[in-house]
């Protein structure tokens, strides 16, 4: 069977690419800009190009048919409309990568199924993903376009340690703070529940849906069943680094006041307790279960990151921001206590 991935070397997609490269049932082609060419397995065909270059892409697709097309870098309705133009009649199944952050905020219940309403007033990223899903499902109903929507929720891998703040881009600076004995910021009181899925586990669920006729026209979330608090996540991460975490708990509202761009990632996502029900995935992919506990996965990440200087990207501005926020929070508490000393004798 033939598959085409748009992207294929990111946090979510790289695990699937590696797994398919070892799967004799699949012949994989990836289309991307070639910035991570060294990370692509040798037996995966690479088309180097820009998905937005219509003339070049249509030339590549001429005479081609893929059993599966998966776009890992489609984020807006305009990009989905572009894909519909490319892949109508050229694929047996089209995968759109949604997001667990699309579910309603605040949640009516922390247990999330695929039928949980979609609504996120805090994050444009999530609203765009919702709009993409609506467009694709309407296309499925009107023309039979063979779409499968998958919803991941905070996937991590060996090149990135996941944190509530700075997990994707400034994670190395958080690691540095931990190793230097400096305090690290945890939103809220650290007891909200969260789910972290290793990309190898996500890949198993995803591949089980590829070419699966029962998944066409369906929405399926793919996560681990393991649920942790943010306090546990930070402490397990520190243990993997061989240090003890110094946690400073600061409310999400305070953090957003210090950096408004955090409103979506916090109020629209990571400060909300979530537990994902994977019953639908397990019905569609019998035998699926996530195998990598976070304490195991984060040790792999720590070993990789500490031994690969190319992923150790310092961010002194983020480091200073953390220091400034922690100082402002501490001064605020001290000021209040000074004005009301009798309560704190």
């Amino acid at each position: 069977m033939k598959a085409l991935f748009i992207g294929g070397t990111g946090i979510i997609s790289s695990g699937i690419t590696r797994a398919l490269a070892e799967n004799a049932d699949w012949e994989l082609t990836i289309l991307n800009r070639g910035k991570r060419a060294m990370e692509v397995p040798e037996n995966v065909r690479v088309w180097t190009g820009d998905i937005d270059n219509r003339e070049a892409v249509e030339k590549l697709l001429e005479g081609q048919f893929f059993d599966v097309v998966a776009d890992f870098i489609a984020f807006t309705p305009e990009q989905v409309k572009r894909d519909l133009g490319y892949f109508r009649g050229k694929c047996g199944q089209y995968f759109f990568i949604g997001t667990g952050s699309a579910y309603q905020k605040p949640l009516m219940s922390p247990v999330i199924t695929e039928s949980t309403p979609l609504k996120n007033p805090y994050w444009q990223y999530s609203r765009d993903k919702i709009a993409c899903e609506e467009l694709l499902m309407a296309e499925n109903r009107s023309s039979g376009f063979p779409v499968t929507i998958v919803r991941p929720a905070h996937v991590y891998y060996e090149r990135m340690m996941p944190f509530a703040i700075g997990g994707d881009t400034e994670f190395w600076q958080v690691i540095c703070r931990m190793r230097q004995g400096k305090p690290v910021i945890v939103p809220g009181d650290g007891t909200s529940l969260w789910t972290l899925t290793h990309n190898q586990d996500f890949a198993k669920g995803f591949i089980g849906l590829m070419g699966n006729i029962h998944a066409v026209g369906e929405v399926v979330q793919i996560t681990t069943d393991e649920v942790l608090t943010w306090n546990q996540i930070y402490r397990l991460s520190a243990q993997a680094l061989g240090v003890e975490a110094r946690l400073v708990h600061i409310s999400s509202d305070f953090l957003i006041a210090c950096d408004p761009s955090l409103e979506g990632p916090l109020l629209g996502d990571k400060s909300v307790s979530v537990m994902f029900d994977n019953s639908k995935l397990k019905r569609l992919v019998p035998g699926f279960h996530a195998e990598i506990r976070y304490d195991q996965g984060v040790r792999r990440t720590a070993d990789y990151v500490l031994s690969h200087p190319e992923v150790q990207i310092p961010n002194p501005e983020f480091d200073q921001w953390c220091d400034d926020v922690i100082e402002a929070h501490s001064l605020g508490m001290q000021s209040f206590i000074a004005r009301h000393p009798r309560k704190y004798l």
Side-chain angles (χ1 to χ4, degrees), residues 5-273:
F5 286 177
I6 313 304
T9 58
I11 295 173
I12 292 176
S13 58
S14 60
I16 309 169
T17 295
R18 288 195 295 264
L20 280 185
E22 300 174 359
N23 189 325
D25 293 333
W26 286 95
E27 176 188 321
L28 177 61
T29 300
I30 65 174
L31 169 62
N32 62 30
R33 295 180 180 179
K35 294 182 178 180
R36 296 181 179 177
M38 297 296 292
E39 300 172 24
V40 179
E42 290 184 1
N43 57 335
V44 173
R45 181 169 59 173
V46 178
W47 287 345
T48 302
D50 186 342
I51 186 64
D52 287 315
N53 186 335
R54 178 168 293 278
E55 183 178 353
V57 172
E58 288 181 343
K59 186 175 181 179
L60 287 170
L61 293 175
E62 187 174 344
Q64 299 280 349
F65 182 89
F66 293 93
D67 298 285
V68 166
V69 171
D71 192 337
F72 294 93
I73 54 173
F75 302 100
T76 66
E78 290 72 24
Q79 292 169 330
V80 166
K81 291 176 184 177
R82 172 204 63 200
D83 283 3
L84 287 170
Y86 287 147
F87 300 117
R88 282 191 186 96
K90 290 187 176 293
C91 70
Q93 185 183 23
Y94 172 91
F95 277 84
F96 175 73
I97 315 303
T99 172
S101 68
Y103 292 112
Q104 64 179 183
K105 305 295 184 302
L107 285 165
M108 297 297 291
S109 166
V111 180
I112 296 173
T113 71
E114 288 82 358
S115 61
T116 298
L118 304 182
K119 183 180 180 181
N120 192 326
Y122 302 107
W123 206 358
Q124 186 62 45
Y125 163 78
S126 304
R127 294 194 293 274
D128 286 343
K129 286 283 191 177
I130 293 170
C132 291
E133 288 196 18
E134 292 173 343
L135 191 160
L136 285 164
M137 293 308 287
E139 187 69 22
N140 173 261
R141 290 189 295 270
S142 64
S143 71
F145 185 72
V147 63
T148 297
I149 294 170
V150 296
R151 293 181 187 145
H154 208 159
V155 177
Y156 72 103
Y157 68 154
E158 71 276 6
R159 297 171 61 91
M160 179 271 292
M161 196 171 285
F163 298 112
I165 297 176
D168 292 342
T169 54
E170 294 98 5
F171 74 91
W172 174 247
Q173 202 62 54
V174 179
I175 289 175
C176 290
R177 293 182 69 86
M178 286 182 170
R179 298 177 76 199
Q180 294 164 5
K182 298 179 71 174
V184 294
I185 298 170
V186 179
D189 62 3
T191 61
S192 57
L193 302 175
W194 197 244
T195 296
L196 294 167
T197 305
H198 198 282
N199 75 343
Q200 291 180 20
D201 282 330
F202 184 89
K204 289 192 302 180
F206 190 93
I207 291 171
L209 297 173
M210 291 176 60
N212 187 332
I213 62 172
H214 305 292
V216 175
E218 298 289 342
V219 178
V220 188
Q221 56 195 24
I222 305 176
T223 78
T224 179
D225 292 327
E226 181 182 35
V227 178
L228 299 166
T229 67
W230 277 111
N231 286 336
Q232 290 173 318
I233 291 167
Y234 275 78
R235 287 173 179 143
L236 288 170
S237 301
Q239 288 175 17
L241 296 166
V243 299
E244 185 173 343
R246 292 179 57 200
L247 308 183
V248 176
H249 297 101
I250 301 177
S251 75
S252 294
D253 288 340
F254 190 98
L255 294 170
I256 293 165
C258 297
D259 181 356
S261 71
L262 290 173
E263 180 178 42
L266 290 182
L267 295 186
D269 198 24
K270 296 180 179 66
S271 65
V272 180
S273 286

